[in-house]
Amino acid sequence: MQRSFIARNPSVLIFLSLLALFTLVVTVLSEGVGSGLISTSFIKTLGKTLCLCLIAVAMDLIWGFAGILSLGHFAFFGLGGYMIGMWLMYERTRLIVVDSLSQTEIPPTEAEVVDAIGTQIFGVVGSSEFPLIWGFADSLTLQLMLVVLVPGLLALVFGWLAFRSRVTGVYLSILTQAMTLALALYLFQNDSGLRGNNGLSGLQNLPGVTASQDLVSLWFLWASAFALGAGYLLAAWVVSGKFGSVIRGIRDNEARVRFLGYSVEAYKLAIFTLTACIAAIAGALYYPQAGIINPAEIAPIASIYLAVWVAIGGRGRLYGAVIGAAFVSLLSTWFTGGQAPDLPLGFYTVKWVDWWLVLLGLSFVAVTLFAPKGIGGLIDLIAQRASKKETGQ
Amino acid sequence: MSMLLEVSGVSVSFDGFKAINNLSFNIGSAELRAIIGPNGAGKTTFMDIVTGKTRPDEGRVIWGEKSVSLLKMSEAQIAQSGVGRKFQKPTVFEDQTVQENLLVALKKPRGWLAVLGYRPTVEDLGRVDALAEEIGLTDQLSRLAGELSHGQKQWLEIGMLLAQEPRLLLVDEPAAGMTVTERQHTTDILVEAAKTRAVVVVEHDMEFVRRLNCKVTVLHEGSVLAEGSLDHVTANQDVIDVYLGR
Amino acid sequence: MRHIYVAIWAFAALLISCVSLSAETADHPAIQPLLQEHQAVIAKSSRKTIGPAIDAIAGSGLPQAQKVLQVWAAKNMWMRKSDGVFFIGEKVEGKTYRLTDFDSGAVVGEFQKGDLKQLKPNSGIRALIGTALVQFQLSDPDPVARADALQSIARDPSADQLTPLRGSIASEADPALKAQKLRLERLLTIRFGASDAERISAIEDMAGDLGVDLRATLNPVLATTREAATTLPSANIAGVLIPGEGISRDEAYALLVANDLAPAQISSDDMRTALAAHIDGGRVADVPVAQLNDPAMRARAYASLAAEGKVPPLVSDADVAASLSAHVFYDRYLDPAAPVTEAAAKALKDIELKVGVNQALDLGLDALSLASIYFLAAIGLAITFGVMGVINMAHGEFIMMGAYTGYVVQQFVPDHTLSIILAIPLAFAVTFAAGVAMERLVIRHLYSRPLETLLATFGISIALQQLAKNIFGTQARPLTAPGWLDGAWVMNDVVSISYIRIAIFVLALIFLCVFLFIMKRTRLGLDTRAVTQNPGMAAQMGINPGRVNMLTFGLGSGIAGIAGVAIGLFAKVTSELGSDYIVQSFMTVVVGGVGNIWGTLAGAAMIGFLQKGIEWMNPSNTLAAQTYMIIFIIIFIQFRPRGIIALKGRAAGD
């Protein structure tokens, strides 16, 4: 009766194999080490897409499995990005500053170096003082811990407040949306300590690394693929056991779970915080590839798109979330990047840059109405047919 | 006989409407009790109060040998201390198999960290099989609960409550929408369960109550109108006036 | 060119003849003798000696005096060298000038430039003449000229305007101008009054007045300068400052340095420059350059240099402390009259208190109008969300559609009043239709799945937004309010509210009444309430729930459209107009409590007042205000999860 976790979930193995294969193929075709068929900028796009798939997995956990439609997970994603961005920007600026100060006749004191870094980083917001929150920015280890700790703590506090007062359903969705809006508005201020709407930039340059972007982009692709694989495995493990039973129970019938003696609030808080941490890690890998992070990234709309990806991919299925995120975000890049050919209708030429969002919006309505299980549901259907055929034979 | 649950002087009102009015109610540790009463008599609200869903405006609800008050506990805590509740409509996890439903309900540590690392042992699975046997769903273990018939869902829910090993079982209209044979089976399950624990059944159907053959409490306008055997209460003029006479 | 020249010439001649005509009819004493009396001073044209001459002309009471002063200031006064008589000079051509007599206005004749001397008053004299002219302008027969003169005095008050101003009050006929003159006289007296008693009595006269001009007058009276000295001088001291309390130690020391009362401190930059200048063979003094990244080593090297006398010595903290304790620091009033500054300070304090009260009132009005806007934006949502339990993420886009409808109507109907009157029902019709279509096509199929309604309507929202962008472009479109809504209702210099905001408040009130009327008095309202409370039962009673839902949804959407017209009047109409309001609208409904119009009202009031209140506490930062407000709302939901006005009991469901 007791089989290993992987054996009971063959889809996990299939997914991990496909992910490994994908990474291998991309590596072989890359500019950095391979044939150069795939450009470095597209490698970055693929790496970023893997990060988006990871946050989609988190979204599927919280929405597809636990039934909590969070419209604020991009807040955690962005915070993760900010936390790693702080170190990247600090360390890179420090190297530049030390380099330029070493040209002077008198070697700089530590205070002078810090002052110069401060002026470099905060000059755009008319300041040169380091805010308190940058206290750990000089330590990669500490800042990496903050990547998980800060969003995790925010999720914990917000979740505790929200779940404790039994805010559910649509109300909770709106509340999470308010949370991300509040955070975005706060970060937009110049005195937020994170450079206001300028955000953190130059993140694609790893301090002290002389390797070319061709190579760096590959490292990040590998890291993103590894993180996605690990996140997927973790998510699959979490939902496969009794914990998965309980959170799906909460989704389908909260009162039943409660009267069975489970503290629904504690479970919600646990899964909310866990997914926030996964989202933060995804963000910490995404923004060094994007190169820049600013508060607009965590505006409420971003989190709604996240829900769109998961819904189109098919929620309640982890691979559905991955497919949805990859499919829609890549398609989006293709259409809005101007690569898609215009569609001449004779009387009017459809420019996809203008019409892609209209198409996305309407197709989203169509998916909700006609295919509530999304693309993942379609795959399930095909898999069922296939297995029926087998047993039939 | 020592009392398992003592409800005394409880009142609750919604927007001025008194759903429960100075209600007092006791039940012993191994007893089967039926509660009857017309619509709006406060039966469901009574269950809400005992299970912690509704907080009364006044009164006391005392539980167990240690005489703890249930009023300060959350629903989950009350359930963990041994109160099981069956809803009027069958509420099972339709998206999961019968086995998964029963496993979730098994009396095990309920904390999320413990549950995260939990994997069923051979004894647990054996216990689930035994429960399935008891509620007559042995053949259905691997089916999704959503695919079961209405009656089977009701039994599954009762089975889940039994898996919880409660000391008090609150059952809300278990026989509604069942065929005659299904009712018979339900009665058997309940009577069997009441041998080791307290069972309170809220029911409309007189025939079903008669078959339970137990003490009956009649509720009316949020308080107890009469109490005793079914024959005793049906002979009561007040009861005839407000309920049976209609 | 020549034609123009001739024309001007002719015109000038005409003018002069008119003047001469009037001069002849009015038989006034001549001004020339007076000018001759001061001939020497005028001809000398010196700032120092000219005073009596100008005073004599201005004070002569002759009607020609103003003309003389104007001509003089404009550098058009010429003196005939032969007899020293003054005339109005006018270039004819080349070096020929035509002279006109001041008194008769008659042309005296044409002269060569060599025979004449042009009087060129310098800027100092022109200023004196200008001041002298003020009294003429203040009594000018044209009220517009008088008002202009008052304005120019108020803009740039000076002491010498006081006397002419006072002189002009008695003869002022226009009551409004007279009041202005009286007020200005008091204000000028406060600043420039001859005696302290006069100034204090002026201050007391104006006590409690809220005018910005009074505060602008009092503030310079109370202007101070910060000084340091070894002992406190006997001057009009506003307050003594103790380093570290009223003034930071650094500021205090900088003040000493600026007044040469103490040597400047050596900053770390100065020190580095000094050290760099004295590098000698890889060492500074006896310290190797490589070790100079340590502040202690830098100090040592510098101290060695200082000991050798190569650099100024370091000012130690002890030196600073000694200098600070050896001096007093104080704010001194520029105005030496202590009783005046005292009275002014007291008056200003009283005024500030009153201003504070009025600002609170103003803030209240602002908050009220913000609340009305939120109420307008949220009421449609309250209907669809509250009454039907449907989340409409496209609600913001319905607001946007309403605003664009208003814009389109204005393209066809240029009259703004008429176009707004047309736009309101049209916007309602457009969004009503859109709402009904959306309900029929999408929402109807999702009643049992509220979260999915949210997502589907979000899809519609992004599609509509992009559609608007494709049609109208990304730049903001104007929706102009009719002229009679321009301007503001000004209660005093502090409290004012624009007419548009009043109109929006009135509109919000109308909506509230209409909504109450529909819900309480019409068949649709009755049906809606029935369907809300028990759809199954309502259907049994012969109510068609589908039709009721459709109409209710259309109503909510239509109201959003009208709100869009109203919001478009003061906000820019862009495709993002709706999304700017959607989160606040949701907040309003959630905070207020679902399913109750009074709840929406309470929610809008709370959010409006809260936002204004937070902005008031931190006026520089509206972003922070919004952040804090959202955090407050998240916490508020903790205590009232179902909003301010909540349904209780089993009816509320779970």
Side-chain angles (χ1 to χ4, degrees):
Chain A
M1 196 68 207
Q2 272 300 72
R3 287 176 298 159
S4 87
F5 157 70
I6 297 285
R8 274 180 294 124
N9 295 278
S11 70
V12 174
L13 202 61
I14 296 172
F15 175 79
L16 291 179
S17 318
L18 285 176
L19 184 64
L21 188 68
F22 165 81
T23 314
L24 192 70
V25 168
V26 170
T27 306
V28 166
L29 297 179
S30 71
E31 280 184 62
V33 299
S35 67
L37 206 66
I38 301 180
S39 71
T40 295
S41 75
F42 194 63
I43 297 268
K44 284 190 180 182
T45 306
L46 289 177
K48 285 191 285 181
T49 307
L50 290 179
C51 298
L52 297 178
C53 291
L54 180 55
I55 190 182
V57 166
M59 183 68 183
D60 199 18
L61 264 188
I62 189 77
W63 182 30
F65 286 89
I68 301 165
L69 174 51
S70 163
L71 294 180
H73 261 55
F74 252 86
F76 308 126
F77 188 82
L79 272 182
Y82 264 108
M83 289 304 133
I84 195 66
M86 281 160 79
W87 178 78
L88 285 170
M89 197 159 179
Y90 179 92
E91 191 59 20
R92 180 163 164 266
T93 314
R94 191 184 68 84
L95 291 179
I96 293 171
V97 162
V98 166
D99 190 45
S100 80
L101 284 182
S102 69
Q103 312 292 323
T104 56
E105 293 162 277
I106 305 276
T109 62
E110 229 155 272
E112 280 171 350
V113 171
V114 171
D115 270 0
I117 300 173
T119 315
Q120 278 288 316
I121 295 182
F122 299 107
V124 285
V125 289
S127 164
S128 65
E129 297 279 308
F130 267 101
L132 216 58
I133 48 172
W134 285 69
F136 302 126
D138 54 345
S139 157
L140 176 60
T141 326
L142 287 176
Q143 209 62 40
L144 278 177
M145 282 164 69
L146 289 185
V147 162
V148 178
L149 285 180
V150 169
L153 198 68
L154 174 64
L156 199 67
V157 170
F158 177 85
W160 184 76
L161 285 171
F163 299 134
R164 193 188 66 102
S165 56
R166 301 243 170 122
V167 180
T168 53
V170 183
Y171 288 85
L172 189 70
S173 302
I174 290 169
L175 216 55
T176 52
Q177 189 179 36
M179 175 197 71
T180 192
L181 179 68
L183 187 66
L185 288 176
Y186 178 76
L187 289 177
F188 264 121
Q189 297 173 62
N190 276 344
D191 53 2
S192 66
L194 290 167
R195 308 204 333 149
N197 62 352
N198 304 289
L200 307 181
S201 55
L203 310 184
Q204 72 277 19
N205 305 304
L206 293 184
V209 171
T210 47
S212 73
Q213 283 290 315
D214 296 343
L215 217 54
V216 171
S217 63
L218 267 184
W219 296 349
F220 271 106
L221 180 84
W222 295 336
S224 306
F226 176 77
L228 176 58
Y232 192 92
L233 202 62
L234 175 71
W237 180 74
V238 163
V239 298
S240 71
K242 192 169 167 185
F243 189 89
S245 274
V246 174
I247 59 170
R248 278 186 289 160
I250 290 173
R251 174 191 69 193
D252 296 335
N253 203 323
E254 192 173 318
R256 179 73 275 164
V257 178
R258 189 167 280 136
F259 289 119
L260 279 177
Y262 290 97
S263 171
V264 169
E265 288 68 41
Y267 279 81
K268 283 183 174 174
L269 191 55
I271 196 75
F272 190 71
T273 309
L274 174 71
T275 54
C277 293
I278 297 177
I281 292 170
L285 282 167
Y286 180 93
Y287 288 105
Q289 303 183 65
I292 183 165
I293 177 170
N294 62 45
E297 298 279 325
I298 57 177
I301 190 90
S303 299
I304 303 182
Y305 276 123
L306 179 60
V308 171
W309 300 337
V310 174
I312 287 183
R315 71 202 124 101
R317 294 158 189 77
L318 291 173
Y319 53 88
V322 172
I323 292 169
F327 179 67
V328 182
S329 71
L330 283 178
L331 211 61
S332 240
T333 315
W334 190 62
F335 274 122
T336 53
Q339 281 122 308
D342 290 348
L343 184 68
L345 293 178
F347 59 95
Y348 183 81
T349 307
V350 175
K351 288 202 182 70
W352 284 115
V353 178
D354 291 340
W355 288 91
W356 156 243
L357 274 180
V358 178
L359 179 75
L360 179 69
L362 294 181
S363 59
F364 189 43
V365 176
V367 166
T368 318
L369 281 180
F370 305 115
K373 288 179 178 171
I375 303 172
L378 226 63
I379 292 179
D380 279 5
L381 216 65
I382 295 165
Q384 263 175 27
R385 291 251 169 92
S387 71
K388 260 183 198 161
K389 254 186 204 166
E390 261 170 41
T391 50
Q393 284 163 358
Chain B
M1 190 171 61
S2 77
M3 285 299 148
L4 180 65
L5 177 74
E6 272 185 64
V7 175
S8 54
V10 167
S11 296
V12 66
S13 58
F14 301 127
D15 288 335
F17 166 69
K18 278 219 158 181
I20 295 284
N21 188 11
N22 197 20
L23 174 78
S24 295
F25 177 92
N26 297 327
I27 188 161
S29 54
E31 190 188 344
L32 183 59
R33 176 79 64 89
I35 294 181
I36 60 172
N39 271 333
K43 295 172 305 214
T44 304
T45 308
F46 163 72
M47 286 196 171
D48 284 349
I49 289 173
V50 174
T51 53
K53 189 178 168 191
T54 301
R55 303 276 165 211
D57 301 335
E58 53 185 277
R60 292 183 305 151
V61 180
I62 305 293
W63 167 257
E65 290 78 20
K66 289 181 184 156
S67 297
V68 290
S69 168
L70 292 184
L71 296 182
K72 292 199 180 79
M73 291 157 72
S74 72
E75 291 106 314
Q77 285 169 326
I78 291 174
Q80 280 177 31
S81 69
V83 178
R85 176 175 184 182
K86 199 203 148 312
F87 293 99
Q88 203 164 325
K89 278 195 296 183
T91 48
V92 293
F93 305 126
E94 310 216 338
D95 199 32
Q96 304 182 37
T97 63
V98 171
Q99 189 186 37
E100 281 172 318
N101 268 285
L102 290 171
L103 272 174
V104 165
L106 271 191
K107 187 178 168 85
K108 287 279 163 187
R110 296 299 206 217
W112 65 270
L113 209 58
V115 166
L116 197 58
Y118 171 86
R119 290 293 180 267
T121 62
V122 178
E123 296 102 88
D124 294 342
L125 293 170
R127 174 95 183 89
V128 166
D129 289 342
L131 278 165
E133 175 85 45
E134 201 175 337
I135 54 175
L137 291 177
T138 308
D139 302 338
Q140 321 287 345
L141 268 179
S142 59
R143 280 184 74 190
L144 285 183
E147 297 168 358
L148 298 178
S149 74
H150 176 78
Q152 286 172 321
K153 282 183 193 167
Q154 297 278 41
W155 296 334
L156 175 57
E157 195 180 358
I158 295 173
M160 288 165 73
L161 293 186
L162 295 176
Q164 224 182 317
E165 295 174 26
R167 301 187 59 202
L168 169 65
L169 202 51
L170 301 169
V171 187
D172 202 348
E173 302 201 14
M178 282 189 174
T179 63
V180 178
T181 44
E182 282 175 340
R183 282 175 194 217
Q184 185 61 49
H185 186 177
T186 309
T187 321
D188 293 347
I189 295 173
L190 291 175
V191 170
E192 181 62 30
K195 286 179 182 164
T196 49
R197 56 178 64 81
V199 176
V200 174
V201 181
V202 166
E203 188 52 74
H204 268 317
D205 184 348
M206 277 303 145
E207 273 314 301
F208 188 84
V209 174
R210 187 172 297 284
R211 224 175 288 138
L212 287 175
N213 190 22
C214 64
K215 192 172 168 187
V216 175
T217 301
V218 185
L219 285 191
H220 176 58
E221 289 178 351
S223 46
V224 176
L225 190 66
E227 207 166 65
S229 71
L230 186 62
D231 292 332
H232 173 78
V233 297
T234 46
N236 185 316
Q237 191 55 46
D238 292 341
V239 176
I240 294 167
D241 286 348
V242 304
Y243 185 36
L244 303 165
R246 285 182 195 176
Chain C
M1 190 69 207
R2 185 155 176 88
H3 288 291
I4 298 170
Y5 209 70
V6 171
I8 292 173
W9 203 90
F11 181 69
L14 197 71
L15 203 72
I16 289 161
S17 63
C18 285
V19 169
S20 62
L21 207 72
S22 64
E24 271 161 24
T25 45
D27 196 18
H28 288 298
I31 199 164
Q32 194 62 249
L34 188 68
L35 294 178
Q36 288 309 310
E37 196 180 311
H38 297 280
Q39 197 252 358
V41 212
I42 293 173
K44 193 183 167 204
S45 207
S46 157
R47 169 84 169 80
K48 282 179 190 154
T49 50
I50 200 76
I54 294 176
D55 287 348
I57 299 169
S60 66
L62 295 173
Q64 302 95 311
Q66 188 181 358
K67 176 84 180 166
V68 169
L69 289 172
Q70 278 167 349
V71 168
W72 188 9
K75 300 184 188 172
N76 283 336
M77 186 151 87
W78 294 74
M79 184 179 78
R80 195 156 62 195
K81 280 183 182 167
S82 54
D83 53 5
V85 177
F86 298 102
F87 296 100
I88 303 168
E90 208 181 351
K91 192 171 184 173
V92 182
E93 60 185 5
K95 299 198 165 191
T96 317
Y97 285 79
R98 178 182 301 112
L99 297 186
T100 311
D101 185 54
F102 278 117
D103 291 316
S104 65
V107 174
V108 182
E110 292 181 4
F111 295 84
Q112 288 303 307
K113 197 180 178 187
D115 301 333
L116 303 169
K117 176 181 157 67
Q118 185 186 12
L119 296 170
K120 291 180 182 165
N122 62 25
S123 61
I125 298 175
R126 284 206 307 278
L128 288 179
I129 299 174
T131 310
L133 272 171
V134 163
Q135 63 165 304
F136 295 106
Q137 285 162 3
L138 283 172
S139 315
D140 197 285
D142 181 5
V144 177
R146 297 205 298 275
D148 283 350
L150 281 176
Q151 254 180 26
S152 77
I153 295 176
R155 207 179 304 125
D156 183 21
S158 66
D160 39 20
Q161 290 153 342
L162 190 52
T163 320
L165 178 63
R166 281 182 181 158
S168 76
I169 292 173
S171 59
E172 178 60 57
D174 185 330
L177 280 175
K178 184 158 190 164
Q180 271 190 38
K181 282 183 176 178
L182 282 168
R183 185 179 173 84
L184 198 56
E185 188 270 330
R186 290 283 82 186
L187 294 176
L188 285 180
T189 308
I190 291 176
R191 280 188 71 175
F192 307 114
S195 71
D196 289 356
E198 192 185 26
R199 296 176 66 190
I200 293 170
S201 91
I203 289 171
E204 279 163 2
D205 282 352
M206 298 294 288
D209 192 283
L210 282 179
V212 175
D213 51 354
L214 176 59
R215 275 172 278 158
T217 307
L218 288 175
N219 278 320
V221 171
L222 291 172
T224 59
T225 174
R226 189 157 284 188
E227 290 175 349
T230 43
T231 52
L232 200 63
S234 59
N236 189 4
I237 304 291
V240 176
L241 305 159
I242 292 158
E245 285 172 34
I247 182 172
S248 79
R249 293 176 66 87
D250 286 348
E251 279 173 337
Y253 195 78
L255 195 61
L256 290 181
V257 173
N259 290 327
D260 288 333
L261 293 168
Q265 274 179 298
I266 310 296
S267 72
S268 58
D269 275 351
D270 297 339
M271 188 190 279
R272 202 181 56 218
T273 319
L275 290 176
H278 291 88
I279 297 177
D280 186 12
R283 304 176 86 83
V284 176
D286 55 342
V287 182
V289 168
Q291 286 180 17
L292 287 177
N293 59 356
D294 179 359
M297 296 310 278
R298 279 193 186 184
R300 219 183 84 190
Y302 190 88
S304 305
L305 289 178
E308 291 170 35
K310 288 177 180 166
V311 291
L314 267 183
V315 179
S316 69
D317 287 350
D319 297 338
V320 171
S323 301
L324 289 182
S325 62
H327 293 90
V328 282
F329 302 87
Y330 54 90
D331 284 330
R332 182 176 61 81
Y333 284 118
L334 293 177
D335 197 317
V340 176
T341 50
E342 206 172 288
K346 185 178 166 297
L348 201 60
K349 205 176 139 208
D350 290 350
I351 291 170
E352 266 156 15
L353 188 74
K354 242 178 132 176
V355 166
V357 171
N358 278 276
Q359 268 170 347
L361 187 66
D362 192 51
L363 197 74
L365 284 177
D366 271 3
L368 198 64
S369 86
L370 192 65
S372 316
I373 292 165
Y374 285 155
F375 180 71
L376 274 182
I379 184 171
L381 200 68
I383 298 171
T384 50
F385 182 27
V387 178
M388 300 170 65
V390 166
I391 287 283
N392 181 11
M393 292 293 278
H395 181 79
E397 276 57 52
F398 286 154
I399 293 178
M400 171 198 78
M401 276 165 79
Y404 272 121
T405 308
Y407 164 73
V408 171
V409 169
Q410 279 198 345
Q411 302 311 299
F412 294 102
V413 184
D415 182 88
H416 289 159
T417 307
L418 185 66
S419 68
I420 292 296
I421 292 172
L422 282 176
I424 287 178
L426 213 62
F428 182 86
V430 167
T431 48
F432 181 89
V436 167
M438 194 165 117
E439 203 274 340
R440 285 288 91 181
L441 293 174
V442 180
I443 292 172
R444 185 160 65 107
H445 307 287
L446 297 172
Y447 274 126
S448 54
R449 298 183 278 167
L451 285 184
E452 287 172 34
T453 322
L454 192 153
L455 290 170
T457 51
F458 169 69
I460 294 170
S461 150
I462 52 175
L464 282 178
Q465 224 180 82
Q466 185 61 44
L467 217 55
K469 249 185 218 142
N470 293 354
I471 295 172
F472 295 102
T474 43
Q475 76 271 44
R477 300 287 175 177
L479 177 54
T480 317
W484 48 269
L485 277 180
D486 287 346
W489 179 42
V490 181
M491 284 162 75
N492 57 40
D493 278 3
V494 182
V495 186
S496 70
I497 181 166
S498 68
Y499 288 129
I500 287 192
R501 286 176 176 259
I502 296 176
I504 284 170
F505 177 70
V506 172
L507 194 64
L509 275 185
I510 294 173
F511 270 25
L512 178 64
C513 297
V514 167
F515 182 85
L516 286 175
F517 176 78
I518 290 177
M519 278 299 162
K520 301 261 148 105
R521 291 272 183 276
T522 66
R523 182 66 208 226
L524 175 66
L526 187 68
D527 290 358
T528 307
R529 281 183 291 151
V531 172
T532 308
Q533 279 157 21
N534 193 336
M537 180 71 89
Q540 293 293 312
M541 308 281 287
I543 298 169
N544 179 354
R547 191 181 145 271
V548 168
N549 280 337
M550 183 181 80
L551 288 179
T552 312
F553 202 85
L555 182 69
S557 308
I559 290 179
I562 299 180
V565 176
I567 290 173
L569 287 179
F570 66 88
K572 291 200 172 74
V573 183
T574 66
S575 60
E576 266 122 40
L577 176 79
S579 44
D580 292 345
Y581 284 89
I582 187 76
V583 176
Q584 271 89 346
S585 305
F586 274 124
M587 296 282 172
T588 302
V589 176
V590 169
V591 164
V594 168
N596 190 315
I597 189 75
W598 298 109
T600 310
L601 192 65
M606 196 181 104
I607 291 184
F609 276 83
L610 200 65
Q611 185 167 341
K612 280 290 159 195
I614 298 172
E615 271 176 30
W616 177 66
M617 278 184 258
N618 186 3
S620 62
N621 206 330
T622 49
L623 282 178
Q626 287 190 38
T627 312
Y628 295 138
M629 190 187 69
I630 294 171
I631 292 171
F632 177 86
I633 288 170
I634 291 174
I635 294 170
F636 176 82
I637 297 283
Q638 299 303 304
F639 298 102
R640 295 207 69 116
R642 301 204 169 275
I644 298 171
I645 298 177
L647 300 173
K648 270 197 242 158
R650 284 172 67 184
D654 230 8

